[in-house]
């Protein structure tokens, strides 16, 4: 497919590289010039604006930092003169016969249904010049719902990713897909090449984001608590090699934390997921709960830890840097 990737941060670059490697025609754009050299060297073309990237694309994938960024870039997709042009017929792409749930197409060897149907790409308002926009960023559920009204022709799906950049490059990431089933399936070849596992989360765009935020809350709180356990073990003078070994083997430590244990133990925070983004995700899930009248006191505490780490110079460092708050205090 002809795929444009907007945002050349760690994740956007990984998505572009993965899709290039699977034979898609990839065009990229980034707000700050000069960040796309790796993917251009790998065969991507570069667009000078989001609207130019959108022209003639089948899929426009956004991988941007936060709610503000996705709203700003979405507003630029239909800038006059360069975009796909007005599309008077909104294309909700829903298929009432399908609802939320695990996607049978996620089993190895199978994929989402892509055969002819109400949104198979043959109806007016689809085809060249009518891309589907998919947001892979982690944003608030309400922002995701609002983006549907801003996307050209209303052709918008949510596609937050579970897994870091290396998992994406290796095809090992999980995709949480939300929105009209027909629109989601129209990008089936992209999901198939990008994800090892994909879950269709239903028509409501916000649900895919809520699942994603729940996962990240568990990750962020897990890293913060393991950081405390490691710092406590080190302060108590335990053997570091044995501590690392036991943390890897104990069932109380989630598998998703395993690839961060060494970095927490040894203070290497070059990683792949910035503390500022971790703080954002925990704040967003706390806000989701609070909007329903439910306070999450632990989430607010975890958010505060990552905000503090970001404010102390670890903003662009990996979330493992939260351990440095404890080490700083010991002096
Ligand atoms: N890293 C991970 O492991 C991971 C995993 C899953 C999901 N995510 C989510 O994926 C998204 C991207 O993460 P990342 O790690 O790739 O972040 P990143 O490396 O910090 O990249 C952020 C991207 O957003 C762009 N951006 C920020 N503000 C913008 C604005 N106002 N207008 C236009 N572009 C703007 C940046 O452009 P500039 O270069 O111009 O600043 C950059 O391309 C985030 O929502 C994150 O939470 C990350």
């Amino acid at each position: 497919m002809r795929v444009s990737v907007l945002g050349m941060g760690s994740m956007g670059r990984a998505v572009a590289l993965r899709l290039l490697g699977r034979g898609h025609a990839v065009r990229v754009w980034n707000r700050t010039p000069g960040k796309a050299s790796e993917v251009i060297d790998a065969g991507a073309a570069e667009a000078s604006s989001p609207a130019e990237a959108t022209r003639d694309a089948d899929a426009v994938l956004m991988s941007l930092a936060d709610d503000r960024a996705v709203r700003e870039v979405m507003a630029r997709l239909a800038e006059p003169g360069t975009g796909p042009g007005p599309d008077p017929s909104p294309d909700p792409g829903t298929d009432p016969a399908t609802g939320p749930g695990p996607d049978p197409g996620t089993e190895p060897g199978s994929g989402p249904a892509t055969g002819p149907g109400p949104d198979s790409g043959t109806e007016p308002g689809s085809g060249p010049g009518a891309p589907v926009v998919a947001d892979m960023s982690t944003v608030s559920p309400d922002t995701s719902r609002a983006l549907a009204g801003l996307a050209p022709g209303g052709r918008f799906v949510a596609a937050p990713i579970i897994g870091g950049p290396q998992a994406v490059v290796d095809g090992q990431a999980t995709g949480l897909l939300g929105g009209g089933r027909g629109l989601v399936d129209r990008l089936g070849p992209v999901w198939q090449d990008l994800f090892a596992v994909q879950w269709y989360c239903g028509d409501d765009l916000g649900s895919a984001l809520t699942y994603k935020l729940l996962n990240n809350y568990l990750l962020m709180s897990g890293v913060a608590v393991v950081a405390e356990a490691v710092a406590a073990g080190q302060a108590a003078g335990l053997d570091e090699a044995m501590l690392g070994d036991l943390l890897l083997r104990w069932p109380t430590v989630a598998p998703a934390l395993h690839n961060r244990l060494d970095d927490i133990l040894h203070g290497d925070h070059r990683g792949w997921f910035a503390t500022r983004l971790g703080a954002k995700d925990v704040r967003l899930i706390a806000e989701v709960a609070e909007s329903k009248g439910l306070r999450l006191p632990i989430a607010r505490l975890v958010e505060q830890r990552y905000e503090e780490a970001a404010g102390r110079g670890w903003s662009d460092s990996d979330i493992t840097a939260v351990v440095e708050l404890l080490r700083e205090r010991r002096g």
Side-chain angles (χ1 to χ4, degrees):
M1 295 186 97
R2 294 164 303 178
V3 185
S4 290
V5 183
L6 309 183
M8 287 288 102
S10 327
M11 287 298 275
R13 289 197 303 273
V15 166
L17 288 173
R18 173 75 191 168
L19 292 175
L20 279 167
R22 304 295 288 185
H24 295 270
V26 177
R27 206 161 14 158
V28 299
W29 171 85
N30 195 60
R31 175 183 62 172
T32 307
K35 299 260 183 92
S37 50
E38 185 188 2
V39 292
I40 289 166
D41 289 350
E46 190 167 21
S48 61
S49 69
E52 191 199 317
T54 306
R55 194 172 50 216
D56 297 332
D58 301 307
V60 176
L61 310 180
M62 299 199 295
S63 179
L64 301 164
D66 53 23
D67 293 50
R68 181 177 164 184
V70 295
R71 283 178 182 271
E72 283 180 13
V73 172
M74 184 65 100
R76 295 184 59 191
L77 289 190
E79 272 170 358
T82 47
D87 181 347
S89 57
D91 185 4
T94 54
D95 179 349
T98 56
D103 189 337
T106 60
E107 295 304 315
S110 65
T114 50
D119 289 291
S120 61
T122 55
E123 75 282 24
S126 66
V132 176
V133 180
D135 185 24
M136 312 187 113
S137 325
T138 308
V139 297
S140 81
D142 282 346
T143 289
S144 193
R145 293 181 186 111
L147 289 174
L150 303 172
R155 291 179 299 273
F156 177 76
V157 299
I161 300 176
I162 294 181
Q166 194 56 50
V168 170
V169 168
D170 294 342
Q172 292 303 311
T174 291
L176 297 171
L177 306 173
R181 187 61 197 247
L183 288 176
V184 167
D185 286 355
R186 207 191 289 183
L187 301 191
V190 171
W191 312 140
Q192 198 67 19
D193 285 335
L194 207 46
F195 301 130
V197 177
Q198 34 179 304
W199 286 81
Y200 179 60
C201 304
D203 230 30
D204 170 29
L205 293 153
S207 294
L209 269 311
T210 306
Y211 288 121
K212 165 66 187 171
L213 293 173
L214 289 172
N215 175 78
N216 277 26
Y217 173 37
L218 293 171
L219 173 65
M220 247 51 78
S221 54
V223 167
V225 172
V226 166
E228 292 198 354
V230 165
Q234 287 173 326
L238 295 182
D239 179 80
E240 268 191 18
M242 185 160 172
L243 178 60
D245 209 24
L246 287 173
L247 288 168
L248 257 185
R249 289 163 193 266
W250 282 340
T252 42
V253 179
L257 305 177
H258 287 179
N259 60 0
R260 283 190 157 94
L261 289 175
D262 274 350
D263 292 348
I264 294 172
L265 273 160
H266 303 119
D268 179 345
H269 308 305
R270 285 171 294 178
W272 56 92
F273 186 41
T275 56
R276 63 185 154 78
L277 298 177
K280 167 206 56 147
D281 291 356
V282 185
R283 171 178 56 80
L284 290 175
I285 195 62
E287 288 174 358
V288 168
E290 284 162 14
S291 75
K292 304 295 175 196
L294 181 67
R295 217 182 127 256
L296 301 184
I298 295 177
R300 285 299 189 186
L301 199 59
V302 173
E303 175 200 354
Q304 197 189 315
R305 298 300 283 163
Y306 287 99
E307 286 292 3
E308 201 179 329
R312 283 174 176 262
W314 301 99
S315 176
D316 289 328
S317 303
D318 190 67
I319 51 177
T320 54
V322 74
V323 72
E324 299 305 333
L325 296 176
L326 303 155
R327 293 186 176 139
E328 278 174 11
R329 280 191 189 141
R330 284 195 75 221

